[in-house]
Amino acid sequence: MSLSIALAGKPNTGKSTFFKAATLVNVEIANYPFTTINANRGTSYVRVPCPCTQLTTRCGHCMDGVRFVPIELVDVAGLVPEAHKGRGLGNTFLDNLRQSEAIINVIDASGGTDIEGNVLGAPSHDPLEDVTLLESEISLWITGIIEKNWQRLAKKAQLEHNIVQVIATQLAGLNIEARQIRNAMQKLGLLDIPPESWGHEVIINLSQQIRKVAKPILIAANKKDVTSFENISRIAGAYEDVVATSGEAELALRLAQQKGLIAYVPGDTHFTIVKSLNQQQKTALERLQKFVSEGGTGVQKCLNVTVFDVLRYIVVYPVEDEHRWSDKQGRVLPDALLIREGGTAKDLAFKVHTDIGRGFLYALDVRTKKRLGEHHELKNGDIIKIVSTSRAK
Ligand SMILES: Nc1nc2c(ncn2[C@@H]2O[C@H](COP(=O)(O)OP(=O)(O)OP(=O)(O)O)[C@@H](O)[C@H]2O)c(=O)[nH]1
Ligand SMILES: [Mg+2]
């Protein structure tokens, strides 16, 4: 399964617009709350420099040296206060976050919509409230799941000394590992405190910690095209992981590119007009040109920051022919795989194919021709040949 990232937040902030711009899947967009009810899923990409720029010819899998590595993006229904109790589309929204490794909290940085996503006459809502809403709803949702049958489970766990396992079982299906639960308990000093004595507040604190490690959040300060500089700097000053975005500008660029009007590579801070345009198109694109040149639309940056800075993934390139950097069919750099920082040569072998992992003998760094053992930690951009007793089909 590929890495999955969710777009979430209060209604009407631009999640579906961001999603459509990033995936080109045609979804409904409208200026009122709860336009999206069922989650939309699609393939988007993170952008990296392709190693084929070190060769004399391009690999054929990149856009002139810019490589796009696939991830899954999920656009979920908006959430309102008390969503964890089922208010609004509460449970639908939360259920769609289960498989996501990280969440992009798309907020309306302009302050033009209230906490339920209704359009205000003038920008008057504090966008910082949109940030706390998502964090607290997810934490309370986790709390609710842990607290199901808590008295009975806590008693049993106390006797059997397996509280981490008990909570992991409660949270099964949320893509949360036992290691992350132990981590959260350790941070709060809960490992030696009998679970029967924890109480509601302690479980809320624990849920917040689990949320931080298992569902990290990056903030997309969206609608930056209509947001004051002051609002963006307040949000960026209050939180660590913030990217200012305009999903609408990115969508306009991607659609113009799709129609062959412009040459644009997602993430660039420029584009060129390649077709003669009517006056209306020309004016619209010229306005966009100025906007894009001042740092880009932020959509690609948002995805890259989530995958590489928040989740700390790296990209590695498995090949079979160490001289041509290709597979057996001669396709140069055919795959780009995302693995966690700290991942080893053997982890990559398993990612390529379970049989290749099982039969792992050694790996080869094709640039240096050095042999790498199973525990060797890979680096971002490595091109690796795996030598295994088993061969890929
Ligand atoms: N100015 C501006 N408007 C935007 C931007 N992104 C989205 N919008 C507008 O905001 C409104 C809501 O957009 P959607 O993408 O439907 O928002 P959503 O968050 O998916 O909404 P729900 O599904 O109802 O939760 C639409 O009128 C969009 O055109 C942006 O970057 N800038
Ligand atoms: Mg939507």
PDB file of all heavy atoms in Angstrom, residues 135-136 138-140 142-144 146-147 167 180-181 183-190 198-213:
ATOM      1  N   GLU A 135      -7.089  19.343  15.792  1.00  0.00           N
ATOM      2  CA  GLU A 135      -6.258  18.627  16.777  1.00  0.00           C
ATOM      3  C   GLU A 135      -7.113  18.044  17.884  1.00  0.00           C
ATOM      4  O   GLU A 135      -6.965  16.886  18.264  1.00  0.00           O
ATOM      5  CB  GLU A 135      -5.225  19.588  17.387  1.00  0.00           C
ATOM      6  CG  GLU A 135      -4.147  19.973  16.409  1.00  0.00           C
ATOM      7  CD  GLU A 135      -3.141  20.933  17.020  1.00  0.00           C
ATOM      8  OE1 GLU A 135      -3.339  21.386  18.183  1.00  0.00           O
ATOM      9  OE2 GLU A 135      -2.159  21.240  16.330  1.00  0.00           O
ATOM     10  N   SER A 136      -8.015  18.863  18.430  1.00  0.00           N
ATOM     11  CA  SER A 136      -8.756  18.363  19.584  1.00  0.00           C
ATOM     12  C   SER A 136      -9.805  17.328  19.170  1.00  0.00           C
ATOM     13  O   SER A 136     -10.021  16.354  19.895  1.00  0.00           O
ATOM     14  CB  SER A 136      -9.345  19.500  20.414  1.00  0.00           C
ATOM     15  OG  SER A 136     -10.482  19.992  19.796  1.00  0.00           O
ATOM     16  N   ILE A 138      -9.562  15.086  16.789  1.00  0.00           N
ATOM     17  CA  ILE A 138      -8.907  13.780  16.578  1.00  0.00           C
ATOM     18  C   ILE A 138      -8.515  13.166  17.920  1.00  0.00           C
ATOM     19  O   ILE A 138      -8.708  11.975  18.153  1.00  0.00           O
ATOM     20  CB  ILE A 138      -7.679  13.919  15.659  1.00  0.00           C
ATOM     21  CG1 ILE A 138      -8.126  14.394  14.282  1.00  0.00           C
ATOM     22  CG2 ILE A 138      -6.942  12.575  15.523  1.00  0.00           C
ATOM     23  CD1 ILE A 138      -7.002  14.676  13.337  1.00  0.00           C
ATOM     24  N   SER A 139      -7.982  13.990  18.822  1.00  0.00           N
ATOM     25  CA  SER A 139      -7.583  13.465  20.128  1.00  0.00           C
ATOM     26  C   SER A 139      -8.795  12.903  20.881  1.00  0.00           C
ATOM     27  O   SER A 139      -8.720  11.830  21.487  1.00  0.00           O
ATOM     28  CB  SER A 139      -6.924  14.562  20.981  1.00  0.00           C
ATOM     29  OG  SER A 139      -5.787  15.031  20.310  1.00  0.00           O
ATOM     30  N   LEU A 140      -9.913  13.624  20.823  1.00  0.00           N
ATOM     31  CA  LEU A 140     -11.109  13.158  21.543  1.00  0.00           C
ATOM     32  C   LEU A 140     -11.705  11.909  20.902  1.00  0.00           C
ATOM     33  O   LEU A 140     -12.277  11.051  21.585  1.00  0.00           O
ATOM     34  CB  LEU A 140     -12.158  14.274  21.628  1.00  0.00           C
ATOM     35  CG  LEU A 140     -11.742  15.426  22.545  1.00  0.00           C
ATOM     36  CD1 LEU A 140     -12.692  16.609  22.411  1.00  0.00           C
ATOM     37  CD2 LEU A 140     -11.686  14.968  24.008  1.00  0.00           C
ATOM     38  N   ILE A 142      -9.839   9.584  19.498  1.00  0.00           N
ATOM     39  CA  ILE A 142      -8.972   8.504  20.000  1.00  0.00           C
ATOM     40  C   ILE A 142      -9.357   8.171  21.448  1.00  0.00           C
ATOM     41  O   ILE A 142      -9.463   7.003  21.839  1.00  0.00           O
ATOM     42  CB  ILE A 142      -7.476   8.896  19.879  1.00  0.00           C
ATOM     43  CG1 ILE A 142      -7.094   9.032  18.392  1.00  0.00           C
ATOM     44  CG2 ILE A 142      -6.562   7.882  20.587  1.00  0.00           C
ATOM     45  CD1 ILE A 142      -5.686   9.540  18.120  1.00  0.00           C
ATOM     46  N   THR A 143      -9.625   9.226  22.248  1.00  0.00           N
ATOM     47  CA  THR A 143     -10.031   9.007  23.642  1.00  0.00           C
ATOM     48  C   THR A 143     -11.268   8.109  23.711  1.00  0.00           C
ATOM     49  O   THR A 143     -11.312   7.144  24.486  1.00  0.00           O
ATOM     50  CB  THR A 143     -10.368  10.363  24.331  1.00  0.00           C
ATOM     51  OG1 THR A 143      -9.238  11.209  24.217  1.00  0.00           O
ATOM     52  CG2 THR A 143     -10.738  10.184  25.795  1.00  0.00           C
ATOM     53  N   GLY A 144     -12.246   8.417  22.870  1.00  0.00           N
ATOM     54  CA  GLY A 144     -13.497   7.649  22.859  1.00  0.00           C
ATOM     55  C   GLY A 144     -13.246   6.180  22.557  1.00  0.00           C
ATOM     56  O   GLY A 144     -13.877   5.293  23.163  1.00  0.00           O
ATOM     57  N   ILE A 146     -10.348   4.480  23.035  1.00  0.00           N
ATOM     58  CA  ILE A 146      -9.617   3.843  24.150  1.00  0.00           C
ATOM     59  C   ILE A 146     -10.572   3.565  25.310  1.00  0.00           C
ATOM     60  O   ILE A 146     -10.493   2.541  25.980  1.00  0.00           O
ATOM     61  CB  ILE A 146      -8.444   4.738  24.643  1.00  0.00           C
ATOM     62  CG1 ILE A 146      -7.400   4.909  23.538  1.00  0.00           C
ATOM     63  CG2 ILE A 146      -7.794   4.158  25.911  1.00  0.00           C
ATOM     64  CD1 ILE A 146      -6.225   5.806  23.908  1.00  0.00           C
ATOM     65  N   GLU A 147     -11.505   4.493  25.541  1.00  0.00           N
ATOM     66  CA  GLU A 147     -12.368   4.359  26.730  1.00  0.00           C
ATOM     67  C   GLU A 147     -13.488   3.322  26.594  1.00  0.00           C
ATOM     68  O   GLU A 147     -14.173   3.043  27.578  1.00  0.00           O
ATOM     69  CB  GLU A 147     -12.955   5.732  27.102  1.00  0.00           C
ATOM     70  CG  GLU A 147     -11.911   6.606  27.784  1.00  0.00           C
ATOM     71  CD  GLU A 147     -12.454   7.931  28.266  1.00  0.00           C
ATOM     72  OE1 GLU A 147     -13.510   8.360  27.754  1.00  0.00           O
ATOM     73  OE2 GLU A 147     -11.827   8.533  29.152  1.00  0.00           O
ATOM     74  N   ILE A 167      -4.105  -1.260  24.529  1.00  0.00           N
ATOM     75  CA  ILE A 167      -4.465  -0.020  23.815  1.00  0.00           C
ATOM     76  C   ILE A 167      -4.258  -0.202  22.309  1.00  0.00           C
ATOM     77  O   ILE A 167      -5.072   0.245  21.498  1.00  0.00           O
ATOM     78  CB  ILE A 167      -3.668   1.190  24.366  1.00  0.00           C
ATOM     79  CG1 ILE A 167      -4.062   1.429  25.820  1.00  0.00           C
ATOM     80  CG2 ILE A 167      -3.936   2.436  23.534  1.00  0.00           C
ATOM     81  CD1 ILE A 167      -3.304   2.531  26.518  1.00  0.00           C
ATOM     82  N   GLN A 180       4.539   3.232  18.934  1.00  0.00           N
ATOM     83  CA  GLN A 180       4.158   4.642  19.055  1.00  0.00           C
ATOM     84  C   GLN A 180       3.342   4.870  20.327  1.00  0.00           C
ATOM     85  O   GLN A 180       3.442   5.918  20.964  1.00  0.00           O
ATOM     86  CB  GLN A 180       3.341   5.059  17.826  1.00  0.00           C
ATOM     87  CG  GLN A 180       4.172   5.024  16.546  1.00  0.00           C
ATOM     88  CD  GLN A 180       3.330   5.241  15.294  1.00  0.00           C
ATOM     89  OE1 GLN A 180       2.261   4.680  15.152  1.00  0.00           O
ATOM     90  NE2 GLN A 180       3.827   6.063  14.384  1.00  0.00           N
ATOM     91  N   ILE A 181       2.570   3.861  20.719  1.00  0.00           N
ATOM     92  CA  ILE A 181       1.769   3.981  21.949  1.00  0.00           C
ATOM     93  C   ILE A 181       2.688   3.976  23.169  1.00  0.00           C
ATOM     94  O   ILE A 181       2.578   4.799  24.077  1.00  0.00           O
ATOM     95  CB  ILE A 181       0.728   2.842  22.021  1.00  0.00           C
ATOM     96  CG1 ILE A 181      -0.277   3.014  20.870  1.00  0.00           C
ATOM     97  CG2 ILE A 181       0.027   2.799  23.374  1.00  0.00           C
ATOM     98  CD1 ILE A 181      -1.178   1.841  20.626  1.00  0.00           C
ATOM     99  N   ASN A 183       5.761   4.843  23.229  1.00  0.00           N
ATOM    100  CA  ASN A 183       6.442   6.128  23.167  1.00  0.00           C
ATOM    101  C   ASN A 183       5.645   7.239  23.843  1.00  0.00           C
ATOM    102  O   ASN A 183       6.163   8.019  24.646  1.00  0.00           O
ATOM    103  CB  ASN A 183       6.543   6.492  21.682  1.00  0.00           C
ATOM    104  CG  ASN A 183       7.908   6.942  21.314  1.00  0.00           C
ATOM    105  OD1 ASN A 183       8.583   7.512  22.153  1.00  0.00           O
ATOM    106  ND2 ASN A 183       8.297   6.667  20.088  1.00  0.00           N
ATOM    107  N   ALA A 184       4.362   7.304  23.498  1.00  0.00           N
ATOM    108  CA  ALA A 184       3.478   8.328  24.044  1.00  0.00           C
ATOM    109  C   ALA A 184       3.328   8.143  25.557  1.00  0.00           C
ATOM    110  O   ALA A 184       3.361   9.110  26.329  1.00  0.00           O
ATOM    111  CB  ALA A 184       2.119   8.255  23.363  1.00  0.00           C
ATOM    112  N   MET A 185       3.195   6.879  26.000  1.00  0.00           N
ATOM    113  CA  MET A 185       3.041   6.606  27.440  1.00  0.00           C
ATOM    114  C   MET A 185       4.302   7.003  28.188  1.00  0.00           C
ATOM    115  O   MET A 185       4.256   7.568  29.287  1.00  0.00           O
ATOM    116  CB  MET A 185       2.750   5.120  27.668  1.00  0.00           C
ATOM    117  CG  MET A 185       1.292   4.773  27.385  1.00  0.00           C
ATOM    118  SD  MET A 185       0.976   3.010  27.492  1.00  0.00           S
ATOM    119  CE  MET A 185       1.530   2.639  29.135  1.00  0.00           C
ATOM    120  N   GLN A 186       5.437   6.722  27.572  1.00  0.00           N
ATOM    121  CA  GLN A 186       6.716   7.054  28.204  1.00  0.00           C
ATOM    122  C   GLN A 186       6.850   8.563  28.382  1.00  0.00           C
ATOM    123  O   GLN A 186       7.230   9.048  29.448  1.00  0.00           O
ATOM    124  CB  GLN A 186       7.837   6.532  27.328  1.00  0.00           C
ATOM    125  CG  GLN A 186       9.190   6.545  28.012  1.00  0.00           C
ATOM    126  CD  GLN A 186      10.175   5.659  27.256  1.00  0.00           C
ATOM    127  OE1 GLN A 186       9.996   5.397  26.062  1.00  0.00           O
ATOM    128  NE2 GLN A 186      11.190   5.211  27.940  1.00  0.00           N
ATOM    129  N   LYS A 187       6.490   9.305  27.342  1.00  0.00           N
ATOM    130  CA  LYS A 187       6.575  10.775  27.387  1.00  0.00           C
ATOM    131  C   LYS A 187       5.764  11.330  28.545  1.00  0.00           C
ATOM    132  O   LYS A 187       6.128  12.324  29.161  1.00  0.00           O
ATOM    133  CB  LYS A 187       6.058  11.373  26.078  1.00  0.00           C
ATOM    134  CG  LYS A 187       7.109  11.398  24.995  1.00  0.00           C
ATOM    135  CD  LYS A 187       6.859  12.565  24.045  1.00  0.00           C
ATOM    136  CE  LYS A 187       8.014  12.688  23.071  1.00  0.00           C
ATOM    137  NZ  LYS A 187       7.672  12.276  21.716  1.00  0.00           N
ATOM    138  N   LEU A 188       4.643  10.679  28.873  1.00  0.00           N
ATOM    139  CA  LEU A 188       3.768  11.179  29.941  1.00  0.00           C
ATOM    140  C   LEU A 188       4.080  10.509  31.286  1.00  0.00           C
ATOM    141  O   LEU A 188       3.378  10.741  32.267  1.00  0.00           O
ATOM    142  CB  LEU A 188       2.306  10.920  29.564  1.00  0.00           C
ATOM    143  CG  LEU A 188       1.782  11.706  28.371  1.00  0.00           C
ATOM    144  CD1 LEU A 188       0.381  11.260  28.012  1.00  0.00           C
ATOM    145  CD2 LEU A 188       1.784  13.200  28.663  1.00  0.00           C
ATOM    146  N   GLY A 189       5.105   9.660  31.312  1.00  0.00           N
ATOM    147  CA  GLY A 189       5.471   8.976  32.550  1.00  0.00           C
ATOM    148  C   GLY A 189       4.405   7.991  33.010  1.00  0.00           C
ATOM    149  O   GLY A 189       4.216   7.773  34.210  1.00  0.00           O
ATOM    150  N   LEU A 190       3.689   7.375  32.044  1.00  0.00           N
ATOM    151  CA  LEU A 190       2.573   6.497  32.429  1.00  0.00           C
ATOM    152  C   LEU A 190       2.947   5.019  32.514  1.00  0.00           C
ATOM    153  O   LEU A 190       2.125   4.206  32.947  1.00  0.00           O
ATOM    154  CB  LEU A 190       1.430   6.632  31.403  1.00  0.00           C
ATOM    155  CG  LEU A 190       0.584   7.894  31.483  1.00  0.00           C
ATOM    156  CD1 LEU A 190      -0.422   7.925  30.338  1.00  0.00           C
ATOM    157  CD2 LEU A 190      -0.156   7.963  32.817  1.00  0.00           C
ATOM    158  N   TRP A 198      -5.950   5.772  35.995  1.00  0.00           N
ATOM    159  CA  TRP A 198      -5.661   6.879  35.073  1.00  0.00           C
ATOM    160  C   TRP A 198      -6.722   7.987  35.024  1.00  0.00           C
ATOM    161  O   TRP A 198      -6.373   9.157  35.072  1.00  0.00           O
ATOM    162  CB  TRP A 198      -5.470   6.346  33.644  1.00  0.00           C
ATOM    163  CG  TRP A 198      -4.136   5.684  33.440  1.00  0.00           C
ATOM    164  CD1 TRP A 198      -3.161   5.468  34.375  1.00  0.00           C
ATOM    165  CD2 TRP A 198      -3.644   5.141  32.206  1.00  0.00           C
ATOM    166  NE1 TRP A 198      -2.100   4.817  33.811  1.00  0.00           N
ATOM    167  CE2 TRP A 198      -2.363   4.603  32.485  1.00  0.00           C
ATOM    168  CE3 TRP A 198      -4.150   5.034  30.925  1.00  0.00           C
ATOM    169  CZ2 TRP A 198      -1.588   3.984  31.511  1.00  0.00           C
ATOM    170  CZ3 TRP A 198      -3.385   4.424  29.952  1.00  0.00           C
ATOM    171  CH2 TRP A 198      -2.112   3.906  30.248  1.00  0.00           C
ATOM    172  N   GLY A 199      -7.972   7.642  34.855  1.00  0.00           N
ATOM    173  CA  GLY A 199      -9.025   8.668  34.776  1.00  0.00           C
ATOM    174  C   GLY A 199      -9.098   9.332  33.398  1.00  0.00           C
ATOM    175  O   GLY A 199      -8.170   9.238  32.585  1.00  0.00           O
ATOM    176  N   HIS A 200     -10.218  10.033  33.181  1.00  0.00           N
ATOM    177  CA  HIS A 200     -10.545  10.617  31.876  1.00  0.00           C
ATOM    178  C   HIS A 200      -9.478  11.608  31.382  1.00  0.00           C
ATOM    179  O   HIS A 200      -9.049  11.563  30.226  1.00  0.00           O
ATOM    180  CB  HIS A 200     -11.911  11.298  32.007  1.00  0.00           C
ATOM    181  CG  HIS A 200     -12.446  11.853  30.726  1.00  0.00           C
ATOM    182  ND1 HIS A 200     -12.658  11.072  29.610  1.00  0.00           N
ATOM    183  CD2 HIS A 200     -12.810  13.131  30.383  1.00  0.00           C
ATOM    184  CE1 HIS A 200     -13.124  11.840  28.626  1.00  0.00           C
ATOM    185  NE2 HIS A 200     -13.227  13.080  29.078  1.00  0.00           N
ATOM    186  N   GLU A 201      -9.023  12.521  32.278  1.00  0.00           N
ATOM    187  CA  GLU A 201      -8.063  13.553  31.867  1.00  0.00           C
ATOM    188  C   GLU A 201      -6.766  12.935  31.369  1.00  0.00           C
ATOM    189  O   GLU A 201      -6.174  13.386  30.385  1.00  0.00           O
ATOM    190  CB  GLU A 201      -7.771  14.524  33.033  1.00  0.00           C
ATOM    191  CG  GLU A 201      -8.910  15.478  33.337  1.00  0.00           C
ATOM    192  CD  GLU A 201      -9.382  16.253  32.093  1.00  0.00           C
ATOM    193  OE1 GLU A 201      -8.523  16.782  31.363  1.00  0.00           O
ATOM    194  OE2 GLU A 201     -10.609  16.284  31.839  1.00  0.00           O
ATOM    195  N   VAL A 202      -6.318  11.897  32.088  1.00  0.00           N
ATOM    196  CA  VAL A 202      -5.065  11.232  31.712  1.00  0.00           C
ATOM    197  C   VAL A 202      -5.222  10.588  30.339  1.00  0.00           C
ATOM    198  O   VAL A 202      -4.322  10.659  29.489  1.00  0.00           O
ATOM    199  CB  VAL A 202      -4.670  10.187  32.784  1.00  0.00           C
ATOM    200  CG1 VAL A 202      -3.492   9.341  32.330  1.00  0.00           C
ATOM    201  CG2 VAL A 202      -4.341  10.890  34.096  1.00  0.00           C
ATOM    202  N   ILE A 203      -6.374   9.993  30.112  1.00  0.00           N
ATOM    203  CA  ILE A 203      -6.593   9.332  28.811  1.00  0.00           C
ATOM    204  C   ILE A 203      -6.661  10.380  27.685  1.00  0.00           C
ATOM    205  O   ILE A 203      -6.156  10.147  26.582  1.00  0.00           O
ATOM    206  CB  ILE A 203      -7.843   8.417  28.846  1.00  0.00           C
ATOM    207  CG1 ILE A 203      -7.593   7.305  29.871  1.00  0.00           C
ATOM    208  CG2 ILE A 203      -8.120   7.797  27.471  1.00  0.00           C
ATOM    209  CD1 ILE A 203      -8.738   6.341  30.076  1.00  0.00           C
ATOM    210  N   ILE A 204      -7.198  11.557  27.987  1.00  0.00           N
ATOM    211  CA  ILE A 204      -7.198  12.630  26.970  1.00  0.00           C
ATOM    212  C   ILE A 204      -5.743  13.031  26.656  1.00  0.00           C
ATOM    213  O   ILE A 204      -5.357  13.158  25.491  1.00  0.00           O
ATOM    214  CB  ILE A 204      -8.008  13.858  27.437  1.00  0.00           C
ATOM    215  CG1 ILE A 204      -9.500  13.515  27.491  1.00  0.00           C
ATOM    216  CG2 ILE A 204      -7.772  15.048  26.502  1.00  0.00           C
ATOM    217  CD1 ILE A 204     -10.391  14.670  27.892  1.00  0.00           C
ATOM    218  N   ASN A 205      -4.938  13.208  27.719  1.00  0.00           N
ATOM    219  CA  ASN A 205      -3.527  13.577  27.495  1.00  0.00           C
ATOM    220  C   ASN A 205      -2.800  12.520  26.677  1.00  0.00           C
ATOM    221  O   ASN A 205      -2.025  12.833  25.775  1.00  0.00           O
ATOM    222  CB  ASN A 205      -2.782  13.750  28.828  1.00  0.00           C
ATOM    223  CG  ASN A 205      -3.232  14.997  29.543  1.00  0.00           C
ATOM    224  OD1 ASN A 205      -3.821  15.888  28.928  1.00  0.00           O
ATOM    225  ND2 ASN A 205      -2.969  15.059  30.841  1.00  0.00           N
ATOM    226  N   LEU A 206      -3.059  11.268  27.027  1.00  0.00           N
ATOM    227  CA  LEU A 206      -2.421  10.166  26.294  1.00  0.00           C
ATOM    228  C   LEU A 206      -2.869  10.187  24.822  1.00  0.00           C
ATOM    229  O   LEU A 206      -2.047  10.032  23.914  1.00  0.00           O
ATOM    230  CB  LEU A 206      -2.786   8.825  26.948  1.00  0.00           C
ATOM    231  CG  LEU A 206      -2.254   7.587  26.233  1.00  0.00           C
ATOM    232  CD1 LEU A 206      -0.726   7.583  26.196  1.00  0.00           C
ATOM    233  CD2 LEU A 206      -2.758   6.303  26.914  1.00  0.00           C
ATOM    234  N   SER A 207      -4.135  10.423  24.609  1.00  0.00           N
ATOM    235  CA  SER A 207      -4.647  10.463  23.227  1.00  0.00           C
ATOM    236  C   SER A 207      -3.988  11.583  22.432  1.00  0.00           C
ATOM    237  O   SER A 207      -3.677  11.426  21.254  1.00  0.00           O
ATOM    238  CB  SER A 207      -6.159  10.678  23.223  1.00  0.00           C
ATOM    239  OG  SER A 207      -6.777   9.685  23.987  1.00  0.00           O
ATOM    240  N   GLN A 208      -3.763  12.737  23.103  1.00  0.00           N
ATOM    241  CA  GLN A 208      -3.100  13.859  22.414  1.00  0.00           C
ATOM    242  C   GLN A 208      -1.690  13.454  21.981  1.00  0.00           C
ATOM    243  O   GLN A 208      -1.251  13.757  20.881  1.00  0.00           O
ATOM    244  CB  GLN A 208      -3.013  15.087  23.329  1.00  0.00           C
ATOM    245  CG  GLN A 208      -4.292  15.881  23.323  1.00  0.00           C
ATOM    246  CD  GLN A 208      -4.361  16.876  24.471  1.00  0.00           C
ATOM    247  OE1 GLN A 208      -3.525  16.878  25.378  1.00  0.00           O
ATOM    248  NE2 GLN A 208      -5.374  17.720  24.444  1.00  0.00           N
ATOM    249  N   GLN A 209      -0.993  12.770  22.886  1.00  0.00           N
ATOM    250  CA  GLN A 209       0.374  12.325  22.569  1.00  0.00           C
ATOM    251  C   GLN A 209       0.370  11.309  21.434  1.00  0.00           C
ATOM    252  O   GLN A 209       1.196  11.362  20.534  1.00  0.00           O
ATOM    253  CB  GLN A 209       1.021  11.664  23.793  1.00  0.00           C
ATOM    254  CG  GLN A 209       1.629  12.636  24.772  1.00  0.00           C
ATOM    255  CD  GLN A 209       2.750  13.478  24.152  1.00  0.00           C
ATOM    256  OE1 GLN A 209       3.476  13.026  23.279  1.00  0.00           O
ATOM    257  NE2 GLN A 209       2.868  14.708  24.590  1.00  0.00           N
ATOM    258  N   ILE A 210      -0.569  10.374  21.506  1.00  0.00           N
ATOM    259  CA  ILE A 210      -0.651   9.353  20.457  1.00  0.00           C
ATOM    260  C   ILE A 210      -0.947  10.040  19.123  1.00  0.00           C
ATOM    261  O   ILE A 210      -0.351   9.725  18.094  1.00  0.00           O
ATOM    262  CB  ILE A 210      -1.744   8.299  20.793  1.00  0.00           C
ATOM    263  CG1 ILE A 210      -1.305   7.461  21.990  1.00  0.00           C
ATOM    264  CG2 ILE A 210      -2.036   7.399  19.590  1.00  0.00           C
ATOM    265  CD1 ILE A 210      -2.339   6.455  22.485  1.00  0.00           C
ATOM    266  N   ARG A 211      -1.833  11.010  19.146  1.00  0.00           N
ATOM    267  CA  ARG A 211      -2.183  11.754  17.923  1.00  0.00           C
ATOM    268  C   ARG A 211      -0.939  12.421  17.322  1.00  0.00           C
ATOM    269  O   ARG A 211      -0.689  12.350  16.130  1.00  0.00           O
ATOM    270  CB  ARG A 211      -3.237  12.813  18.278  1.00  0.00           C
ATOM    271  CG  ARG A 211      -4.112  13.288  17.198  1.00  0.00           C
ATOM    272  CD  ARG A 211      -3.514  14.396  16.335  1.00  0.00           C
ATOM    273  NE  ARG A 211      -2.997  15.547  17.063  1.00  0.00           N
ATOM    274  CZ  ARG A 211      -1.925  16.231  16.682  1.00  0.00           C
ATOM    275  NH1 ARG A 211      -1.231  15.906  15.629  1.00  0.00           N
ATOM    276  NH2 ARG A 211      -1.518  17.283  17.383  1.00  0.00           N
ATOM    277  N   LYS A 212      -0.127  13.018  18.208  1.00  0.00           N
ATOM    278  CA  LYS A 212       1.073  13.715  17.719  1.00  0.00           C
ATOM    279  C   LYS A 212       2.046  12.782  17.023  1.00  0.00           C
ATOM    280  O   LYS A 212       2.627  13.130  16.009  1.00  0.00           O
ATOM    281  CB  LYS A 212       1.803  14.400  18.888  1.00  0.00           C
ATOM    282  CG  LYS A 212       1.241  15.750  19.207  1.00  0.00           C
ATOM    283  CD  LYS A 212       2.118  16.464  20.212  1.00  0.00           C
ATOM    284  CE  LYS A 212       1.296  17.528  20.906  1.00  0.00           C
ATOM    285  NZ  LYS A 212       1.826  17.911  22.199  1.00  0.00           N
ATOM    286  N   VAL A 213       2.256  11.595  17.594  1.00  0.00           N
ATOM    287  CA  VAL A 213       3.229  10.693  16.967  1.00  0.00           C
ATOM    288  C   VAL A 213       2.625   9.893  15.813  1.00  0.00           C
ATOM    289  O   VAL A 213       3.299   9.612  14.834  1.00  0.00           O
ATOM    290  CB  VAL A 213       3.912   9.716  17.973  1.00  0.00           C
ATOM    291  CG1 VAL A 213       4.861  10.451  18.880  1.00  0.00           C
ATOM    292  CG2 VAL A 213       2.904   8.924  18.762  1.00  0.00           C
TER     293      VAL A 213
END
